[in-house]
């Protein structure tokens, strides 16, 4: 069986354990670095907004025999921007080019007329306003805001406020990274991108919730035992759901990656690129953040609680005592493995 | 596969897997059958995938109001048209401004184009005006009048059959004796409903001879030249003539009285109307709904605060008047679309119109009232068909890529889960069939159209759906690692997996629901897809994956932990019966080093 399967078994038995929580400051650092890069890229480079957001030019030609593919090529060469070409019922073409303003439109029109061998007078040029994308984006932001408020309330009720806060931070983290990648790579931002981003927010939280669910279960009777501190329980929960996280992420990423690299890369489908890139980055960031950011943040918040502080003290004291006696810690806890045993008052063994 | 183990009956906790499977099977068969019966075997595609119709609208700059054609108003118009053409928000129509004064509306193939054009182009400004006088649509010949009135209240009320048409109204109102019984009554919710009246008599329609005398005396108000001119125009107006009809109410200022035509039942009527009292922007929301008590369609209206004040004032005034002056006309783009009568002042900002609506007419009026308040009026510049915005090659590339992606997922699942992967793959297949059939049916039902972002959303949904199986499978494997045999493992794992699945799907669904409610256009269509697939995920896991897992646990192949089943206890590292914890855990405990 695959290595991953063995890994699953080892993770389950605790033979292998990655110290996500202990090394959290490393990951916080990594994330802060990425976030700063994203923000800088956004500030310096800005986003390459598509025709739907910043407007552009639409050229309508009279009846022509020029193929759509040819016209697309010519239009993109003439303007240096992405073009969408559609055939009209009249036999003419509609060529939408983003980022072309009034002055440039005249030049592009001339160029188009020459290259497509159409009379300039039979090409009609119009500027498209940004209303469509603006409206979609504005409403999407509203939706995002409302969703965040609702989901924080829900997570605070279903789990606890610390998890809600951590999930929210992880979500903002994911969105920042994705937007940053867009700024860096210079991909065009279309309504498809906005939709990709909105998918991410659902997915990122979905992933976080699954990990939190494991953590909630793992830490149910935590104050009734003295073997683990909260951060150790949290780390075990992450490890326990690690195989699931990996599998889910792989399964979600594979089709998106195919869209991005095969559909977009080799076959050159521009619009697929827009959507699949934002999805790819966002899904990967979402999986990363639920393990490396969200859960460690919960630990940081949780360990400020007096009850958890006291627990940590007890656990450490016990370990120290066991060490002083020369016992291996495993032996000291051998019988304290099962939570039900713990809850039956085994803590009386504390020395 | 091997026969089920004998001798052990499933315990109650295992439920009845057969029943759940039967339910989902019936659902699938029903949906597929429905799909073929309705001849809607493919989902309707959005304009980016299938092309459609492109309508170009030009904002009219009206004399004296040239500055009204500005960016703000254009954007407001785009928003209103968007809501109008997208109806439920899933038809994927695109609305955008072009240039200074154009709006382009792209409507995907398969939409009712005629209806869309009407919704987009012909509706413009909405006003509520008090009725001053009413007459048959054509300039009726004098001799037609006496006979028409009685018949209207009597035999000619067939359309609404069940209602009373207040027969006294027509004969008694002398000046405007052609004012038929009211067509719709506007009233406080509790009051009884007068039904719509009679349609106009054919005779009146056929009478073409202009007859100024027919429309009798002037309205009580205006006694100056303007009123007289209006009166003359009113008398001459022939609403059965399309050109006259279109010209009648157009271009009038809201603060002036106008004459207007409108359809009443099957025939045309004409009105003299006072200055606009309430306009479309004062209506917050209007809906065509079925009144459960009376079992008939009504239109409910909710006004904005400002609108509520204005509406209370006008209804207060109208309620004291006689027929037909106790009516107000809802005028859309110069045409009367409804003329309810008022029996009392309506305060509080809510009102309803009832009487003789069909589902269609109630919903149409609701839509027009809700979204009718365009700040500008538009003319249709051109209507043309367009090919898909996304080239056929791009779509093909996307489909190929999607297929390859799916294949990779299948290979991955097989490599990792072996036998279990078949359950996952079949579950995905069930989910896909349900999604496909529902989408195809919704194309007809609510105009749902699938565009590229929605396709991508569906591909991501593969991940979310597969996640549910993975959560469950991993739980089962954990139970086996605890040393349990498959059957109890399957049952014990379920409640815990179920909770995780429900909690995470809820978050996903919440995102979809919020986006659907808050946003417009493409995003809304996408949110719809996401919400649908999330719901189906829950359905499939509960009604298919879990029951199948229960059944499969009875087979020897899986239960014995065959190496290819994906549930081999040895490979999973199940604990031996006498277990001793070997967890060193992740605890960075320094004491570990001292382990003897």
């Amino acid at each position: 069986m695959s290595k991953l399967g063995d890994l699953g078994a080892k993770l389950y038995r605790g033979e292998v354990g990655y110290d996500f929580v202990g090394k959290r400051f490393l990951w916080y650092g990594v994330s802060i670095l990425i976030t700063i890069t994203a923000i800088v890229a956004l500030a310096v480079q800005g986003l390459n907004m598509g025709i739907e957001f910043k407007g552009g030019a639409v050229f309508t030609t009279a009846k022509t025999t020029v193929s759509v593919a040819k016209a697309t090529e010519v239009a993109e060469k003439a303007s240096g921007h992405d073009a969408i070409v559609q055939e009209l019922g009249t036999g003419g073409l509609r060529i939408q080019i983003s980022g072309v303003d009034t002055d440039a439109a005249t030049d592009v029109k001339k160029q188009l007329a020459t290259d497509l061998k159409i009379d300039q007078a039979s090409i009609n040029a119009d500027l498209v306003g940004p209303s469509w994308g603006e409206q979609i984006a504005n409403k999407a932001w509203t939706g995002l805001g409302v969703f965040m408020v609702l989901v924080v309330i829900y997570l605070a009720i279903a789990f606890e406020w610390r998890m809600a806060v951590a999930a929210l931070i992880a979500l903002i983290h994911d969105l920042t990274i994705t937007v940053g990648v867009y700024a860096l790579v210079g991909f065009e931002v279309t309504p498809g991108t906005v939709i990709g981003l909105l998918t991410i927010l659902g997915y990122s939280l979905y992933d976080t919730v699954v990990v939190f669910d494991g953590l909630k279960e793992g830490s149910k009777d935590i104050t009734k035992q003295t073997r683990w501190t909260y951060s150790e329980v949290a780390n075990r929960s992450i490890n326990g759901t690690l195989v699931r996280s990996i599998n889910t992420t792989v399964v979600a990423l594979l089709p998106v990656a195919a869209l991005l690299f095969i559909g977009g890369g080799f076959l050159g489908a521009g619009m697929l690129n827009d959507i699949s890139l934002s999805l790819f980055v966002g899904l990967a960031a979402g999986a990363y953040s639920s393990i490396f950011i969200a859960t460690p943040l919960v630990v940081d918040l949780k360990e400020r609680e007096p009850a958890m502080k006291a627990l940590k003290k007890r656990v450490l004291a016990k370990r120290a005592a066991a060490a002083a006696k020369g016992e291996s810690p495993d032996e000291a806890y051998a019988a304290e493995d099962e939570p039900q045993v713990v809850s039956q008052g085994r803590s009386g063994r504390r020395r | 596969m091997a026969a089920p183990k004998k001798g052990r009956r499933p315990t109650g906790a295992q439920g009845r897997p057969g029943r759940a499977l039967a339910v989902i099977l019936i659902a699938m068969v029903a949906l597929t059958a429905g799909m073929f019966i309705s001849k809607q075997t493919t989902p309707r595609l959005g304009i980016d995938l299938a092309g459609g119709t492109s309508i170009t609208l030009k904002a009219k700059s009206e004399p004296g109001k040239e500055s009204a054609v500005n960016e703000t108003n254009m954007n407001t118009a785009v928003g209103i048209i968007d809501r109008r053409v997208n109806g439920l928000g899933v038809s994927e129509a695109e609305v955008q401004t072009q240039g200074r004064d154009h709006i382009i509306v792209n409507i995907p193939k398969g939409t009712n184009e005629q209806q869309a054009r009407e919704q987009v182009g012909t509706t413009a400004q909405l006003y509520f005006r008090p009725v001053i006088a009413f007459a048959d649509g054509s300039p009726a010949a004098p001799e037609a009048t006496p006979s028409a009135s009685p018949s209207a209240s009597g035999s000619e009320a067939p359309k609404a059959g069940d209602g009373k048409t207040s027969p006294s109204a027509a004969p008694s109102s002398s000046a405007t004796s052609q004012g038929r019984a009211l067509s719709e009554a506007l009233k406080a919710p509790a009051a009884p409903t007068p039904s719509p009246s009679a349609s106009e008599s054919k005779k009146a329609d056929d009478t073409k001879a202009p007859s100024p005398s027919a429309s009798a005396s002037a309205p009580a108000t205006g006694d100056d030249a303007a009123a007289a001119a209006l009166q003359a125009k009113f008398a001459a107006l022939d609403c059965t003539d399309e050109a006259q009809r279109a010209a009648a109410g157009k271009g009038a200022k809201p603060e002036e009285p106008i004459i207007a035509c409108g359809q009443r039942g099957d025939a045309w009527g004409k009105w003299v109307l006072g200055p606009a009292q309430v306009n479309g922007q004062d209506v917050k929301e209007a809906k065509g709904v079925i009144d459960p008590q009376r079992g008939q369609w009504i239109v409910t209206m909710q006004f904005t605060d400002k609108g509520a004040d204005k509406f209370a004032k006008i209804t207060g005034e109208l309620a004291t008047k006689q027929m037909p002056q106790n009516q107000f006309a809802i005028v859309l783009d110069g045409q009367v679309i409804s003329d309810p009568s008022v029996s009392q002042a309506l305060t509080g900002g809510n009102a309803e119109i009832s009487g003789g609506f069909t589902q269609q007419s109630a919903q149409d009026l609701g839509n027009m009232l809700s979204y009718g308040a365009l700040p500008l009026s538009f003319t249709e510049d051109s209507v043309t068909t367009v090919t898909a915005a996304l080239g056929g090659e791009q779509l093909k590339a996307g489909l190929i890529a999607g297929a390859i992606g799916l294949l990779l997922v299948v290979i991955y699942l097989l490599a990792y889960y072996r036998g279990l992967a078949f359950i996952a793959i079949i579950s995905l297949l069930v989910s896909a069939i349900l999604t496909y059939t529902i989408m195809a049916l919704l194309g007809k039902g609510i105009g749902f159209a699938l565009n590229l972002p929605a396709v991508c959303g569906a591909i991501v949904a593969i991940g979310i759906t597969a996640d549910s199986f993975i959560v469950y499978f991993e739980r089962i494997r954990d139970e086996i690692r605890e040393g349990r045999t498959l059957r109890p493992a399957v049952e014990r794992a379920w409640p815990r997996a179920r909770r995780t699945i429900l909690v995470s799907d809820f978050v996903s669904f919440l995102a979809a629901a919020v986006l659907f409610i808050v946003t417009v256009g493409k995003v809304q269509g996408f949110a719809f897809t996401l919400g649908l697939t999330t719901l189906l995920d829950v359905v499939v896991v509960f009604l298919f994956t879990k029951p199948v897992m229960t059944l499969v646990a009875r087979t020897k192949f899986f239960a014995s932990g065959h190496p290819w089943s994906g549930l081999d206890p040895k490979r999973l590292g199940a604990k031996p019966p006498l277990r001793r914890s070997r967890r060193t855990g992740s605890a960075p405990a320094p004491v570990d080093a001292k382990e003897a």
Side-chain angles (χ1 to χ4, degrees), chain A residues 12 89 127 213 217 244 247-248, chain B residues 99 385 412 467 482 496 500:
Chain A
Y12 184 79
L127 290 181
D213 198 50
E217 202 185 302
R244 183 222 65 100
N247 279 347
T248 308
Chain B
T385 57
Y412 181 83
D467 184 73
E482 289 286 344
R496 301 162 82 197
T500 309

Side-chain angles (χ1 to χ4, degrees), chain B residues 83-102:
Chain B
R83 270 178 298 169
R84 242 188 241 165
V85 290
N86 275 318
L88 260 171
V90 287
S91 75
E92 305 291 349
E94 299 170 356
V95 185
Q96 60 190 94
T97 57
Q98 178 176 312
R100 198 181 61 86
D101 55 358
H102 284 87

Side-chain angles (χ1 to χ4, degrees), chain A residues 151-178:
Chain A
V151 94
V152 163
I153 293 172
Y154 173 72
L155 290 180
I157 294 170
F159 297 105
E160 56 175 310
W161 69 264
R162 291 172 191 83
M163 290 187 178
V165 169
L168 192 66
I169 294 174
L171 178 63
I172 294 170
H173 165 266
D174 297 344
L175 291 177
T176 315
I177 290 181
T178 314

Side-chain angles (χ1 to χ4, degrees), chain B residues 148-172:
Chain B
S149 297
S151 72
S153 48
S155 62
E156 271 194 87
K159 260 201 116 181
D162 58 339
K164 282 175 272 169
T165 51
S166 40
S168 64
S172 68

Side-chain angles (χ1 to χ4, degrees), chain A residues 1-2 4-6 8-9 12-19 52 58 60 68-69 84-90 94 96 124 126-132 134-136 139-140 142-144 146-147 150-151 154-155 158-159 191-192 194-195 198-199 201-203 205-207 209-210 213-214 216-217 227-228 231-232 235-236 239-240 243-244 246-248 250-252 254-256 258-260 262-263 267-272 275-276 279 283 319-320 323 326 328-331 334 337-338, chain B residues 47-48 51 54 56 71 75 78-80 82 93-100 102 104 106 384-390 394 396-398 400-402 404-406 408-409 412-413 415-418 452-453 456-457 459-460 462-468 470-471 474-475 477-479 481-482 496 499-508 510-511 514-515 518-523 526 530 537 566 571-575 579-589 591-592 594-596:
Chain A
M1 180 96 141
S2 65
L4 194 55
D6 296 337
Y12 184 79
R13 288 194 299 265
E15 285 163 16
V16 181
Y18 297 97
D19 192 9
E52 293 87 352
V58 173
T60 322
V68 170
I84 298 170
V85 179
Q86 283 175 281
E87 229 172 280
L88 297 174
T90 55
R94 175 147 98 206
Q96 299 182 56
N124 177 39
D126 263 311
L127 290 181
V128 166
S131 64
W132 188 43
E134 257 173 22
Q135 209 176 22
I136 283 188
K139 303 241 167 163
T142 317
L144 186 66
V146 173
F147 170 69
L150 287 180
V151 94
Y154 173 72
L155 290 180
F159 297 105
V194 175
I195 288 167
L198 295 172
T199 314
L201 70 96
Y203 192 86
L205 276 165
Y206 180 100
D207 210 41
V209 163
V210 172
D213 198 50
K216 186 190 176 190
E217 202 185 302
R227 182 166 177 168
W228 310 105
S231 63
E232 285 157 9
N235 202 54
R236 281 182 57 192
N239 279 297
V243 172
R244 183 222 65 100
I246 294 171
N247 279 347
T248 308
V250 169
V251 167
L254 279 177
V256 176
L259 276 185
L260 179 62
I262 302 169
L267 302 172
M271 185 153 180
L272 287 172
I275 302 170
S276 50
L279 284 178
L283 289 180
R319 271 188 202 145
S328 96
D330 265 358
E331 272 169 46
D337 201 16
E338 294 293 303
Chain B
I47 194 159
D48 55 350
S54 180
T56 309
E71 209 184 316
N75 285 342
V78 164
I80 291 167
D82 191 308
E94 299 170 356
V95 185
Q96 60 190 94
T97 57
Q98 178 176 312
R100 198 181 61 86
H102 284 87
I104 295 188
N106 289 334
T384 177
T385 57
V386 291
T387 54
L390 188 74
Q394 289 201 23
K396 215 162 70 188
I400 292 171
I404 293 174
L406 260 182
L408 290 175
V409 167
Y412 181 83
L413 286 175
Y416 189 75
Y417 284 118
R418 304 202 172 187
L452 190 73
C456 288
I459 289 173
V460 177
I462 296 172
I464 290 180
T465 308
D467 184 73
S468 307
I470 294 173
V471 166
E474 288 300 325
R475 284 287 191 194
R477 286 155 71 117
D478 282 353
E479 294 294 334
R481 286 179 184 129
E482 289 286 344
R496 301 162 82 197
R499 197 189 57 158
T500 309
I501 292 166
L502 285 178
V503 168
S504 46
D505 271 346
F506 179 82
V507 169
S508 204
L510 189 67
V514 168
L515 285 177
V518 175
T519 58
V520 290
K522 271 197 165 147
V523 180
F526 159 80
L530 187 68
D537 174 39
R571 281 183 183 279
L572 291 178
K575 288 183 183 179
R579 60 199 142 101
R580 180 189 173 295
S581 172
R582 291 196 61 248
R583 283 179 202 159
T584 50
S586 51
V591 283
D592 273 4
K594 293 183 187 167
E595 191 164 356

Side-chain angles (χ1 to χ4, degrees), chain A residues 65-77:
Chain A
T65 51
V66 181
S67 77
V68 170
K70 167 85 176 150
T72 313
E73 196 191 313
V74 168
E76 289 185 350
K77 217 174 75 199

